[in-house]
Amino acid sequence: MIEDRIKWNKRYLEGRESALHVTLTRFYNLASPGKALDIACGTGETSIFLAKKGFKVDAFDISDIAIRKARQRARREGVKVNFKSVDAEKFSYGVSKYDLIINFYFLNRNIFSKIKRSLKQNGLLIFETYNEEHTSVRPDFNPRYLLKKGELERVFRDFLLVYYCEVSNITTLVAKKP
Ligand SMILES: C[S@@+](CC[C@H](N)C(=O)[O-])C[C@H]1O[C@@H](n2cnc3c(N)ncnc32)[C@H](O)[C@@H]1O
């Protein structure tokens, strides 16, 4: 959506940078080395981390400013990542394409089935974002972008659960496609 692009571009122009998440460093090596997809990658720290670990990484974000910063960072750090500026609902996910898909701090329920399809058999999904308890920390946060408690576990119940954690306002799921 154009409003999302405008909102996020403004944040990235103001200096926002995305972060490397402990959950990624803890679990990425459960995936077979191969192709990885970083959904809503922001300024690309996670994508670059995976590229350095030997994955061939596709990564996208709606913010062209974030993608520009991500490309600059990758160039500086001497790694190749296939960055794209595109809406999550318009990205071509493909079928049985990825060994690893990561989704950090982004929620669009319309892509759940695409994530499932685009993982290879035995492919690993690492998904972490805020849940509905987040409104106790940030009352102004749009509830549409917050997981219900137990939601990820229900949505990916056909996957093999590796790790699931709902500590206060954050939900983490690590699971393999059977
Ligand atoms: C909270 S940031 C998370 C960035 C990164 N994944 C991280 O964990 O640091 C949310 C990201 O989602 C992106 N985003 C928002 N709406 C989007 C959409 N419709 N399609 C793709 N990316 C979107 C934003 O530009 C932003 O980079």
PDB file of all heavy atoms in Angstrom, residues 80-113:
ATOM      1  N   LYS A  80      26.569 -10.339  -1.465  1.00  0.00           N
ATOM      2  CA  LYS A  80      25.516 -10.207  -2.477  1.00  0.00           C
ATOM      3  C   LYS A  80      24.175 -10.633  -1.881  1.00  0.00           C
ATOM      4  O   LYS A  80      24.048 -11.725  -1.335  1.00  0.00           O
ATOM      5  CB  LYS A  80      25.838 -11.106  -3.671  1.00  0.00           C
ATOM      6  CG  LYS A  80      26.469 -10.350  -4.828  1.00  0.00           C
ATOM      7  CD  LYS A  80      26.648 -11.224  -6.044  1.00  0.00           C
ATOM      8  CE  LYS A  80      25.332 -11.366  -6.797  1.00  0.00           C
ATOM      9  NZ  LYS A  80      25.499 -12.141  -8.043  1.00  0.00           N
ATOM     10  N   VAL A  81      23.188  -9.738  -1.988  1.00  0.00           N
ATOM     11  CA  VAL A  81      21.812 -10.069  -1.586  1.00  0.00           C
ATOM     12  C   VAL A  81      20.908  -9.532  -2.687  1.00  0.00           C
ATOM     13  O   VAL A  81      21.132  -8.441  -3.217  1.00  0.00           O
ATOM     14  CB  VAL A  81      21.437  -9.386  -0.244  1.00  0.00           C
ATOM     15  CG1 VAL A  81      19.962  -9.602   0.089  1.00  0.00           C
ATOM     16  CG2 VAL A  81      22.303  -9.895   0.909  1.00  0.00           C
ATOM     17  N   ASN A  82      19.891 -10.300  -3.034  1.00  0.00           N
ATOM     18  CA  ASN A  82      18.945  -9.848  -4.052  1.00  0.00           C
ATOM     19  C   ASN A  82      17.827  -9.039  -3.379  1.00  0.00           C
ATOM     20  O   ASN A  82      16.802  -9.587  -2.990  1.00  0.00           O
ATOM     21  CB  ASN A  82      18.402 -11.088  -4.786  1.00  0.00           C
ATOM     22  CG  ASN A  82      17.417 -10.719  -5.862  1.00  0.00           C
ATOM     23  OD1 ASN A  82      17.439  -9.604  -6.393  1.00  0.00           O
ATOM     24  ND2 ASN A  82      16.532 -11.646  -6.195  1.00  0.00           N
ATOM     25  N   PHE A  83      18.073  -7.734  -3.189  1.00  0.00           N
ATOM     26  CA  PHE A  83      17.100  -6.858  -2.521  1.00  0.00           C
ATOM     27  C   PHE A  83      16.079  -6.329  -3.525  1.00  0.00           C
ATOM     28  O   PHE A  83      16.444  -5.940  -4.646  1.00  0.00           O
ATOM     29  CB  PHE A  83      17.811  -5.649  -1.894  1.00  0.00           C
ATOM     30  CG  PHE A  83      18.573  -5.959  -0.642  1.00  0.00           C
ATOM     31  CD1 PHE A  83      19.960  -5.855  -0.628  1.00  0.00           C
ATOM     32  CD2 PHE A  83      17.922  -6.327   0.527  1.00  0.00           C
ATOM     33  CE1 PHE A  83      20.687  -6.116   0.526  1.00  0.00           C
ATOM     34  CE2 PHE A  83      18.642  -6.594   1.692  1.00  0.00           C
ATOM     35  CZ  PHE A  83      20.025  -6.479   1.690  1.00  0.00           C
ATOM     36  N   LYS A  84      14.821  -6.265  -3.089  1.00  0.00           N
ATOM     37  CA  LYS A  84      13.753  -5.725  -3.939  1.00  0.00           C
ATOM     38  C   LYS A  84      12.859  -4.814  -3.119  1.00  0.00           C
ATOM     39  O   LYS A  84      12.566  -5.121  -1.962  1.00  0.00           O
ATOM     40  CB  LYS A  84      12.856  -6.875  -4.414  1.00  0.00           C
ATOM     41  CG  LYS A  84      13.144  -7.370  -5.800  1.00  0.00           C
ATOM     42  CD  LYS A  84      11.912  -8.064  -6.393  1.00  0.00           C
ATOM     43  CE  LYS A  84      12.215  -8.494  -7.797  1.00  0.00           C
ATOM     44  NZ  LYS A  84      12.739  -9.848  -7.864  1.00  0.00           N
ATOM     45  N   SER A  85      12.406  -3.733  -3.729  1.00  0.00           N
ATOM     46  CA  SER A  85      11.427  -2.893  -3.066  1.00  0.00           C
ATOM     47  C   SER A  85      10.050  -3.255  -3.619  1.00  0.00           C
ATOM     48  O   SER A  85       9.731  -2.929  -4.773  1.00  0.00           O
ATOM     49  CB  SER A  85      11.753  -1.423  -3.339  1.00  0.00           C
ATOM     50  OG  SER A  85      10.681  -0.638  -2.925  1.00  0.00           O
ATOM     51  N   VAL A  86       9.268  -3.946  -2.812  1.00  0.00           N
ATOM     52  CA  VAL A  86       7.962  -4.430  -3.289  1.00  0.00           C
ATOM     53  C   VAL A  86       7.039  -4.674  -2.099  1.00  0.00           C
ATOM     54  O   VAL A  86       7.503  -4.958  -0.979  1.00  0.00           O
ATOM     55  CB  VAL A  86       8.162  -5.715  -4.145  1.00  0.00           C
ATOM     56  CG1 VAL A  86       8.711  -6.866  -3.332  1.00  0.00           C
ATOM     57  CG2 VAL A  86       6.866  -6.167  -4.815  1.00  0.00           C
ATOM     58  N   ASP A  87       5.759  -4.557  -2.322  1.00  0.00           N
ATOM     59  CA  ASP A  87       4.748  -4.867  -1.310  1.00  0.00           C
ATOM     60  C   ASP A  87       4.717  -6.378  -1.073  1.00  0.00           C
ATOM     61  O   ASP A  87       4.792  -7.158  -2.028  1.00  0.00           O
ATOM     62  CB  ASP A  87       3.380  -4.385  -1.819  1.00  0.00           C
ATOM     63  CG  ASP A  87       2.300  -4.467  -0.754  1.00  0.00           C
ATOM     64  OD1 ASP A  87       2.139  -5.545  -0.143  1.00  0.00           O
ATOM     65  OD2 ASP A  87       1.622  -3.462  -0.537  1.00  0.00           O
ATOM     66  N   ALA A  88       4.588  -6.762   0.189  1.00  0.00           N
ATOM     67  CA  ALA A  88       4.581  -8.188   0.541  1.00  0.00           C
ATOM     68  C   ALA A  88       3.512  -8.977  -0.230  1.00  0.00           C
ATOM     69  O   ALA A  88       3.686 -10.162  -0.489  1.00  0.00           O
ATOM     70  CB  ALA A  88       4.341  -8.342   2.040  1.00  0.00           C
ATOM     71  N   GLU A  89       2.427  -8.317  -0.576  1.00  0.00           N
ATOM     72  CA  GLU A  89       1.356  -9.050  -1.280  1.00  0.00           C
ATOM     73  C   GLU A  89       1.639  -9.170  -2.770  1.00  0.00           C
ATOM     74  O   GLU A  89       0.942  -9.874  -3.487  1.00  0.00           O
ATOM     75  CB  GLU A  89       0.013  -8.368  -1.030  1.00  0.00           C
ATOM     76  CG  GLU A  89      -0.375  -8.464   0.438  1.00  0.00           C
ATOM     77  CD  GLU A  89      -1.832  -8.176   0.716  1.00  0.00           C
ATOM     78  OE1 GLU A  89      -2.679  -8.380  -0.169  1.00  0.00           O
ATOM     79  OE2 GLU A  89      -2.116  -7.729   1.851  1.00  0.00           O
ATOM     80  N   LYS A  90       2.659  -8.460  -3.252  1.00  0.00           N
ATOM     81  CA  LYS A  90       2.956  -8.509  -4.698  1.00  0.00           C
ATOM     82  C   LYS A  90       4.227  -9.288  -5.016  1.00  0.00           C
ATOM     83  O   LYS A  90       4.526  -9.536  -6.184  1.00  0.00           O
ATOM     84  CB  LYS A  90       3.086  -7.071  -5.234  1.00  0.00           C
ATOM     85  CG  LYS A  90       1.853  -6.231  -4.988  1.00  0.00           C
ATOM     86  CD  LYS A  90       1.494  -5.385  -6.195  1.00  0.00           C
ATOM     87  CE  LYS A  90       0.132  -4.741  -6.048  1.00  0.00           C
ATOM     88  NZ  LYS A  90       0.197  -3.368  -5.525  1.00  0.00           N
ATOM     89  N   PHE A  91       4.977  -9.656  -3.987  1.00  0.00           N
ATOM     90  CA  PHE A  91       6.227 -10.391  -4.208  1.00  0.00           C
ATOM     91  C   PHE A  91       5.926 -11.779  -4.798  1.00  0.00           C
ATOM     92  O   PHE A  91       4.915 -12.392  -4.464  1.00  0.00           O
ATOM     93  CB  PHE A  91       6.977 -10.538  -2.873  1.00  0.00           C
ATOM     94  CG  PHE A  91       8.287 -11.254  -2.983  1.00  0.00           C
ATOM     95  CD1 PHE A  91       9.395 -10.629  -3.529  1.00  0.00           C
ATOM     96  CD2 PHE A  91       8.410 -12.572  -2.555  1.00  0.00           C
ATOM     97  CE1 PHE A  91      10.607 -11.300  -3.641  1.00  0.00           C
ATOM     98  CE2 PHE A  91       9.611 -13.254  -2.664  1.00  0.00           C
ATOM     99  CZ  PHE A  91      10.717 -12.614  -3.212  1.00  0.00           C
ATOM    100  N   SER A  92       6.810 -12.247  -5.699  1.00  0.00           N
ATOM    101  CA  SER A  92       6.643 -13.595  -6.269  1.00  0.00           C
ATOM    102  C   SER A  92       7.348 -14.615  -5.375  1.00  0.00           C
ATOM    103  O   SER A  92       8.573 -14.758  -5.464  1.00  0.00           O
ATOM    104  CB  SER A  92       7.279 -13.674  -7.660  1.00  0.00           C
ATOM    105  OG  SER A  92       6.637 -12.807  -8.507  1.00  0.00           O
ATOM    106  N   TYR A  93       6.608 -15.290  -4.548  1.00  0.00           N
ATOM    107  CA  TYR A  93       7.193 -16.201  -3.555  1.00  0.00           C
ATOM    108  C   TYR A  93       7.658 -17.523  -4.160  1.00  0.00           C
ATOM    109  O   TYR A  93       8.584 -18.153  -3.661  1.00  0.00           O
ATOM    110  CB  TYR A  93       6.183 -16.483  -2.436  1.00  0.00           C
ATOM    111  CG  TYR A  93       5.891 -15.267  -1.587  1.00  0.00           C
ATOM    112  CD1 TYR A  93       4.965 -14.309  -2.006  1.00  0.00           C
ATOM    113  CD2 TYR A  93       6.550 -15.056  -0.389  1.00  0.00           C
ATOM    114  CE1 TYR A  93       4.708 -13.177  -1.244  1.00  0.00           C
ATOM    115  CE2 TYR A  93       6.307 -13.930   0.388  1.00  0.00           C
ATOM    116  CZ  TYR A  93       5.378 -12.991  -0.058  1.00  0.00           C
ATOM    117  OH  TYR A  93       5.142 -11.874   0.691  1.00  0.00           O
ATOM    118  N   GLY A  94       6.991 -17.930  -5.242  1.00  0.00           N
ATOM    119  CA  GLY A  94       7.350 -19.202  -5.859  1.00  0.00           C
ATOM    120  C   GLY A  94       6.854 -20.390  -5.026  1.00  0.00           C
ATOM    121  O   GLY A  94       6.232 -20.215  -3.980  1.00  0.00           O
ATOM    122  N   VAL A  95       7.160 -21.547  -5.521  1.00  0.00           N
ATOM    123  CA  VAL A  95       6.696 -22.783  -4.879  1.00  0.00           C
ATOM    124  C   VAL A  95       7.905 -23.657  -4.553  1.00  0.00           C
ATOM    125  O   VAL A  95       8.779 -23.851  -5.410  1.00  0.00           O
ATOM    126  CB  VAL A  95       5.734 -23.551  -5.829  1.00  0.00           C
ATOM    127  CG1 VAL A  95       5.257 -24.858  -5.188  1.00  0.00           C
ATOM    128  CG2 VAL A  95       4.536 -22.680  -6.201  1.00  0.00           C
ATOM    129  N   SER A  96       7.962 -24.158  -3.343  1.00  0.00           N
ATOM    130  CA  SER A  96       9.070 -25.021  -2.883  1.00  0.00           C
ATOM    131  C   SER A  96      10.426 -24.437  -3.288  1.00  0.00           C
ATOM    132  O   SER A  96      11.268 -25.115  -3.872  1.00  0.00           O
ATOM    133  CB  SER A  96       8.923 -26.429  -3.471  1.00  0.00           C
ATOM    134  OG  SER A  96       7.728 -26.995  -3.046  1.00  0.00           O
ATOM    135  N   LYS A  97      10.605 -23.193  -2.973  1.00  0.00           N
ATOM    136  CA  LYS A  97      11.794 -22.470  -3.453  1.00  0.00           C
ATOM    137  C   LYS A  97      12.851 -22.248  -2.361  1.00  0.00           C
ATOM    138  O   LYS A  97      14.045 -22.249  -2.640  1.00  0.00           O
ATOM    139  CB  LYS A  97      11.301 -21.117  -3.976  1.00  0.00           C
ATOM    140  CG  LYS A  97      12.335 -20.271  -4.636  1.00  0.00           C
ATOM    141  CD  LYS A  97      11.670 -19.074  -5.302  1.00  0.00           C
ATOM    142  CE  LYS A  97      12.703 -18.164  -5.914  1.00  0.00           C
ATOM    143  NZ  LYS A  97      12.074 -16.970  -6.509  1.00  0.00           N
ATOM    144  N   TYR A  98      12.392 -22.034  -1.110  1.00  0.00           N
ATOM    145  CA  TYR A  98      13.333 -21.575  -0.077  1.00  0.00           C
ATOM    146  C   TYR A  98      13.615 -22.642   0.994  1.00  0.00           C
ATOM    147  O   TYR A  98      12.722 -23.358   1.432  1.00  0.00           O
ATOM    148  CB  TYR A  98      12.784 -20.316   0.601  1.00  0.00           C
ATOM    149  CG  TYR A  98      12.722 -19.141  -0.344  1.00  0.00           C
ATOM    150  CD1 TYR A  98      11.510 -18.704  -0.863  1.00  0.00           C
ATOM    151  CD2 TYR A  98      13.881 -18.498  -0.750  1.00  0.00           C
ATOM    152  CE1 TYR A  98      11.455 -17.629  -1.757  1.00  0.00           C
ATOM    153  CE2 TYR A  98      13.848 -17.430  -1.639  1.00  0.00           C
ATOM    154  CZ  TYR A  98      12.632 -17.005  -2.133  1.00  0.00           C
ATOM    155  OH  TYR A  98      12.595 -15.958  -3.020  1.00  0.00           O
ATOM    156  N   ASP A  99      14.874 -22.681   1.416  1.00  0.00           N
ATOM    157  CA  ASP A  99      15.280 -23.544   2.537  1.00  0.00           C
ATOM    158  C   ASP A  99      15.017 -22.847   3.873  1.00  0.00           C
ATOM    159  O   ASP A  99      14.918 -23.502   4.910  1.00  0.00           O
ATOM    160  CB  ASP A  99      16.783 -23.846   2.427  1.00  0.00           C
ATOM    161  CG  ASP A  99      17.100 -24.556   1.130  1.00  0.00           C
ATOM    162  OD1 ASP A  99      16.884 -25.773   1.071  1.00  0.00           O
ATOM    163  OD2 ASP A  99      17.520 -23.888   0.156  1.00  0.00           O
ATOM    164  N   LEU A 100      14.954 -21.528   3.816  1.00  0.00           N
ATOM    165  CA  LEU A 100      14.761 -20.735   5.036  1.00  0.00           C
ATOM    166  C   LEU A 100      13.948 -19.485   4.706  1.00  0.00           C
ATOM    167  O   LEU A 100      14.256 -18.788   3.734  1.00  0.00           O
ATOM    168  CB  LEU A 100      16.135 -20.327   5.602  1.00  0.00           C
ATOM    169  CG  LEU A 100      16.166 -19.315   6.745  1.00  0.00           C
ATOM    170  CD1 LEU A 100      15.478 -19.869   7.991  1.00  0.00           C
ATOM    171  CD2 LEU A 100      17.613 -18.931   7.093  1.00  0.00           C
ATOM    172  N   ILE A 101      12.917 -19.238   5.489  1.00  0.00           N
ATOM    173  CA  ILE A 101      12.183 -17.965   5.363  1.00  0.00           C
ATOM    174  C   ILE A 101      12.162 -17.311   6.741  1.00  0.00           C
ATOM    175  O   ILE A 101      11.849 -17.962   7.747  1.00  0.00           O
ATOM    176  CB  ILE A 101      10.739 -18.166   4.850  1.00  0.00           C
ATOM    177  CG1 ILE A 101      10.760 -18.728   3.418  1.00  0.00           C
ATOM    178  CG2 ILE A 101       9.973 -16.845   4.875  1.00  0.00           C
ATOM    179  CD1 ILE A 101       9.386 -18.901   2.779  1.00  0.00           C
ATOM    180  N   ILE A 102      12.507 -16.024   6.762  1.00  0.00           N
ATOM    181  CA  ILE A 102      12.440 -15.307   8.038  1.00  0.00           C
ATOM    182  C   ILE A 102      11.463 -14.136   7.919  1.00  0.00           C
ATOM    183  O   ILE A 102      11.382 -13.484   6.866  1.00  0.00           O
ATOM    184  CB  ILE A 102      13.834 -14.827   8.517  1.00  0.00           C
ATOM    185  CG1 ILE A 102      14.447 -13.800   7.565  1.00  0.00           C
ATOM    186  CG2 ILE A 102      14.787 -16.007   8.676  1.00  0.00           C
ATOM    187  CD1 ILE A 102      15.712 -13.139   8.130  1.00  0.00           C
ATOM    188  N   ASN A 103      10.734 -13.917   8.978  1.00  0.00           N
ATOM    189  CA  ASN A 103       9.759 -12.820   9.049  1.00  0.00           C
ATOM    190  C   ASN A 103       9.885 -12.189  10.430  1.00  0.00           C
ATOM    191  O   ASN A 103       9.395 -12.745  11.421  1.00  0.00           O
ATOM    192  CB  ASN A 103       8.355 -13.382   8.819  1.00  0.00           C
ATOM    193  CG  ASN A 103       7.263 -12.310   8.821  1.00  0.00           C
ATOM    194  OD1 ASN A 103       6.541 -12.133   7.848  1.00  0.00           O
ATOM    195  ND2 ASN A 103       7.098 -11.588   9.920  1.00  0.00           N
ATOM    196  N   PHE A 104      10.573 -11.067  10.493  1.00  0.00           N
ATOM    197  CA  PHE A 104      10.774 -10.402  11.792  1.00  0.00           C
ATOM    198  C   PHE A 104      10.022  -9.076  11.863  1.00  0.00           C
ATOM    199  O   PHE A 104      10.200  -8.201  11.022  1.00  0.00           O
ATOM    200  CB  PHE A 104      12.271 -10.142  12.032  1.00  0.00           C
ATOM    201  CG  PHE A 104      13.006 -11.356  12.527  1.00  0.00           C
ATOM    202  CD1 PHE A 104      13.734 -12.145  11.662  1.00  0.00           C
ATOM    203  CD2 PHE A 104      12.946 -11.713  13.875  1.00  0.00           C
ATOM    204  CE1 PHE A 104      14.405 -13.275  12.116  1.00  0.00           C
ATOM    205  CE2 PHE A 104      13.607 -12.835  14.350  1.00  0.00           C
ATOM    206  CZ  PHE A 104      14.337 -13.617  13.467  1.00  0.00           C
ATOM    207  N   TYR A 105       9.190  -8.967  12.867  1.00  0.00           N
ATOM    208  CA  TYR A 105       8.503  -7.722  13.207  1.00  0.00           C
ATOM    209  C   TYR A 105       7.744  -7.127  12.019  1.00  0.00           C
ATOM    210  O   TYR A 105       7.820  -5.937  11.724  1.00  0.00           O
ATOM    211  CB  TYR A 105       9.477  -6.738  13.879  1.00  0.00           C
ATOM    212  CG  TYR A 105       9.926  -7.349  15.172  1.00  0.00           C
ATOM    213  CD1 TYR A 105      11.067  -8.158  15.228  1.00  0.00           C
ATOM    214  CD2 TYR A 105       9.135  -7.237  16.312  1.00  0.00           C
ATOM    215  CE1 TYR A 105      11.427  -8.820  16.393  1.00  0.00           C
ATOM    216  CE2 TYR A 105       9.489  -7.896  17.484  1.00  0.00           C
ATOM    217  CZ  TYR A 105      10.624  -8.676  17.512  1.00  0.00           C
ATOM    218  OH  TYR A 105      10.952  -9.340  18.669  1.00  0.00           O
ATOM    219  N   PHE A 106       6.993  -8.018  11.369  1.00  0.00           N
ATOM    220  CA  PHE A 106       6.110  -7.644  10.265  1.00  0.00           C
ATOM    221  C   PHE A 106       4.966  -8.646  10.279  1.00  0.00           C
ATOM    222  O   PHE A 106       5.193  -9.831  10.519  1.00  0.00           O
ATOM    223  CB  PHE A 106       6.875  -7.724   8.934  1.00  0.00           C
ATOM    224  CG  PHE A 106       5.987  -7.527   7.744  1.00  0.00           C
ATOM    225  CD1 PHE A 106       5.457  -6.278   7.456  1.00  0.00           C
ATOM    226  CD2 PHE A 106       5.663  -8.592   6.903  1.00  0.00           C
ATOM    227  CE1 PHE A 106       4.628  -6.093   6.365  1.00  0.00           C
ATOM    228  CE2 PHE A 106       4.843  -8.415   5.799  1.00  0.00           C
ATOM    229  CZ  PHE A 106       4.327  -7.160   5.540  1.00  0.00           C
ATOM    230  N   LEU A 107       3.753  -8.147  10.063  1.00  0.00           N
ATOM    231  CA  LEU A 107       2.616  -9.072  10.055  1.00  0.00           C
ATOM    232  C   LEU A 107       1.651  -8.721   8.935  1.00  0.00           C
ATOM    233  O   LEU A 107       1.090  -7.617   8.891  1.00  0.00           O
ATOM    234  CB  LEU A 107       1.867  -9.016  11.402  1.00  0.00           C
ATOM    235  CG  LEU A 107       0.659  -9.956  11.506  1.00  0.00           C
ATOM    236  CD1 LEU A 107       1.084 -11.422  11.342  1.00  0.00           C
ATOM    237  CD2 LEU A 107      -0.063  -9.774  12.841  1.00  0.00           C
ATOM    238  N   ASN A 108       1.500  -9.670   8.005  1.00  0.00           N
ATOM    239  CA  ASN A 108       0.461  -9.578   6.983  1.00  0.00           C
ATOM    240  C   ASN A 108      -0.119 -10.982   6.831  1.00  0.00           C
ATOM    241  O   ASN A 108       0.526 -11.880   6.301  1.00  0.00           O
ATOM    242  CB  ASN A 108       1.053  -9.078   5.654  1.00  0.00           C
ATOM    243  CG  ASN A 108      -0.025  -8.942   4.595  1.00  0.00           C
ATOM    244  OD1 ASN A 108      -1.015  -9.680   4.599  1.00  0.00           O
ATOM    245  ND2 ASN A 108       0.157  -7.999   3.685  1.00  0.00           N
ATOM    246  N   ARG A 109      -1.313 -11.134   7.354  1.00  0.00           N
ATOM    247  CA  ARG A 109      -1.921 -12.475   7.367  1.00  0.00           C
ATOM    248  C   ARG A 109      -2.197 -13.006   5.967  1.00  0.00           C
ATOM    249  O   ARG A 109      -2.322 -14.213   5.770  1.00  0.00           O
ATOM    250  CB  ARG A 109      -3.208 -12.444   8.200  1.00  0.00           C
ATOM    251  CG  ARG A 109      -2.932 -12.186   9.674  1.00  0.00           C
ATOM    252  CD  ARG A 109      -4.216 -12.018  10.456  1.00  0.00           C
ATOM    253  NE  ARG A 109      -3.951 -11.953  11.890  1.00  0.00           N
ATOM    254  CZ  ARG A 109      -3.618 -10.838  12.559  1.00  0.00           C
ATOM    255  NH1 ARG A 109      -3.508  -9.678  11.923  1.00  0.00           N
ATOM    256  NH2 ARG A 109      -3.389 -10.862  13.862  1.00  0.00           N
ATOM    257  N   ASN A 110      -2.289 -12.116   4.975  1.00  0.00           N
ATOM    258  CA  ASN A 110      -2.577 -12.572   3.607  1.00  0.00           C
ATOM    259  C   ASN A 110      -1.420 -13.340   2.979  1.00  0.00           C
ATOM    260  O   ASN A 110      -1.592 -13.934   1.910  1.00  0.00           O
ATOM    261  CB  ASN A 110      -2.917 -11.377   2.697  1.00  0.00           C
ATOM    262  CG  ASN A 110      -4.192 -10.721   3.156  1.00  0.00           C
ATOM    263  OD1 ASN A 110      -5.043 -11.371   3.757  1.00  0.00           O
ATOM    264  ND2 ASN A 110      -4.316  -9.426   2.891  1.00  0.00           N
ATOM    265  N   ILE A 111      -0.235 -13.303   3.609  1.00  0.00           N
ATOM    266  CA  ILE A 111       0.889 -14.021   2.983  1.00  0.00           C
ATOM    267  C   ILE A 111       1.198 -15.346   3.689  1.00  0.00           C
ATOM    268  O   ILE A 111       2.120 -16.051   3.289  1.00  0.00           O
ATOM    269  CB  ILE A 111       2.162 -13.145   2.869  1.00  0.00           C
ATOM    270  CG1 ILE A 111       2.733 -12.804   4.258  1.00  0.00           C
ATOM    271  CG2 ILE A 111       1.892 -11.888   2.041  1.00  0.00           C
ATOM    272  CD1 ILE A 111       4.148 -12.227   4.204  1.00  0.00           C
ATOM    273  N   PHE A 112       0.428 -15.702   4.704  1.00  0.00           N
ATOM    274  CA  PHE A 112       0.707 -16.958   5.422  1.00  0.00           C
ATOM    275  C   PHE A 112       0.745 -18.158   4.465  1.00  0.00           C
ATOM    276  O   PHE A 112       1.645 -18.980   4.502  1.00  0.00           O
ATOM    277  CB  PHE A 112      -0.345 -17.214   6.505  1.00  0.00           C
ATOM    278  CG  PHE A 112      -0.196 -16.357   7.749  1.00  0.00           C
ATOM    279  CD1 PHE A 112      -1.248 -16.233   8.636  1.00  0.00           C
ATOM    280  CD2 PHE A 112       0.985 -15.697   8.030  1.00  0.00           C
ATOM    281  CE1 PHE A 112      -1.126 -15.460   9.792  1.00  0.00           C
ATOM    282  CE2 PHE A 112       1.128 -14.914   9.175  1.00  0.00           C
ATOM    283  CZ  PHE A 112       0.065 -14.804  10.055  1.00  0.00           C
ATOM    284  N   SER A 113      -0.253 -18.243   3.572  1.00  0.00           N
ATOM    285  CA  SER A 113      -0.316 -19.415   2.684  1.00  0.00           C
ATOM    286  C   SER A 113       0.831 -19.375   1.659  1.00  0.00           C
ATOM    287  O   SER A 113       1.345 -20.411   1.239  1.00  0.00           O
ATOM    288  CB  SER A 113      -1.666 -19.491   1.980  1.00  0.00           C
ATOM    289  OG  SER A 113      -1.866 -18.313   1.258  1.00  0.00           O
TER     290      SER A 113
END
